[in-house]
């Protein structure tokens, strides 16, 4: 069974950015990582025009089946008041449930300082390809340099609170 990836693209209103980041770092990540089958999670940020999806989160999963488990559904269907507030005010929220198809069951590269979302970069530490449940193909190139300038895709650098 292939590994899974839950990928979210979010952006809070500018007036809520500090609260949004506090919620993510203090509540949301720990809550998700406590669910069996969530292997790791990372947050990424890009300097983009407002409304373009400033934050990317990658949640590495044992498999896509984790997202239909009782433990996950309990959290997903019963969000905390803080989760409802932060996600309810988001100006961008996109979510992809994906299965890793290349290169097999590779973990995220531990030295990655940035990811290139849906673009190619020859000097990438690792290139991983996913297929979302919608059929969309998603490519993540893990980079050692957050200042890389690819000709396509969006570079998200590792979020540091």
């Amino acid at each position: 069974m292939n590994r899974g990836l839950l990928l979210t693209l979010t952006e809070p209103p500018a007036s809520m950015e500090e609260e949004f980041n506090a919620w993510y770092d203090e509540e949301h990540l720990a809550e998700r990582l406590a669910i069996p089958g969530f292997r790791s999670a990372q947050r990424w940020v890009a300097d983009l025009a407002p409304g373009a999806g400033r934050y990317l989160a990658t949640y590495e999963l044992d498999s896509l089946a984790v997202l239909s488990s009782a433990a996950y559904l309990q959290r997903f269907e019963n969000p905390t008041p803080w989760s409802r507030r932060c996600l309810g005010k988001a100006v961008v929220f996109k979510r992809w449930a994906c299965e890793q198809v290349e290169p097999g069951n590779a973990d995220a590269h531990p030295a990655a300082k940035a990811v290139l979302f849906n673009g190619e970069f020859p000097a990438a530490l690792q290139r991983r390809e996913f297929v979302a449940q919608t059929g969309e193909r998603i490519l993540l190139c893990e980079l050692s340099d957050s200042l890389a300038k690819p000709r396509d895709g969006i570079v998200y650098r590792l979020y540091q609170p």
Side-chain angles (χ1 to χ4, degrees):
M1 185 177 301
N2 287 350
R3 296 254 173 89
L5 180 78
L6 177 60
L7 187 68
T8 62
L9 189 63
T10 54
E11 185 173 327
S15 63
M16 278 190 73
E17 193 152 6
E18 187 174 328
E19 179 183 0
F20 176 83
N21 287 323
W23 161 74
Y24 232 109
D25 296 336
E26 296 171 20
E27 180 182 279
H28 188 68
L29 287 178
E31 182 183 82
R32 290 301 184 256
L33 289 171
I35 297 169
F38 272 70
R39 300 171 62 82
S40 65
Q42 289 185 298
R43 294 186 64 209
W44 312 88
V45 62
D47 296 321
L48 300 172
R54 181 167 160 74
Y55 293 96
L56 182 72
T58 53
Y59 302 88
E60 304 286 336
L61 310 171
D62 286 342
S63 73
L64 269 182
V66 171
L67 300 179
S68 57
S69 70
Y72 177 76
L73 293 173
Q74 170 64 25
R75 290 291 189 198
F76 184 74
E77 294 170 355
N78 300 289
T80 67
W82 203 10
S83 291
R84 281 194 303 275
R85 174 177 161 70
C86 288
L87 290 176
K89 301 272 186 183
V91 296
V92 174
F93 181 78
K94 295 179 182 177
R95 178 183 183 276
W96 296 270
C98 306
E99 183 174 56
Q100 184 168 297
V101 293
E102 289 293 331
N105 286 330
D107 285 321
H109 197 288
K113 302 287 186 237
V115 292
L116 175 60
F117 179 68
N118 282 341
E120 291 279 359
F121 196 73
L125 293 168
Q126 179 171 246
R127 177 189 184 279
R128 295 191 300 153
E129 190 172 341
F130 303 86
V131 175
Q133 288 179 321
T134 61
E136 185 176 355
R137 293 187 88 75
I138 295 174
L139 179 61
L140 291 180
C141 289
E142 296 160 335
L143 311 175
S144 60
D145 181 1
S146 64
L147 300 176
K149 301 286 186 213
R151 60 174 205 271
D152 59 354
I154 300 170
V155 174
Y156 285 86
R157 69 184 182 282
L158 191 60
Y159 174 78
Q160 303 287 326

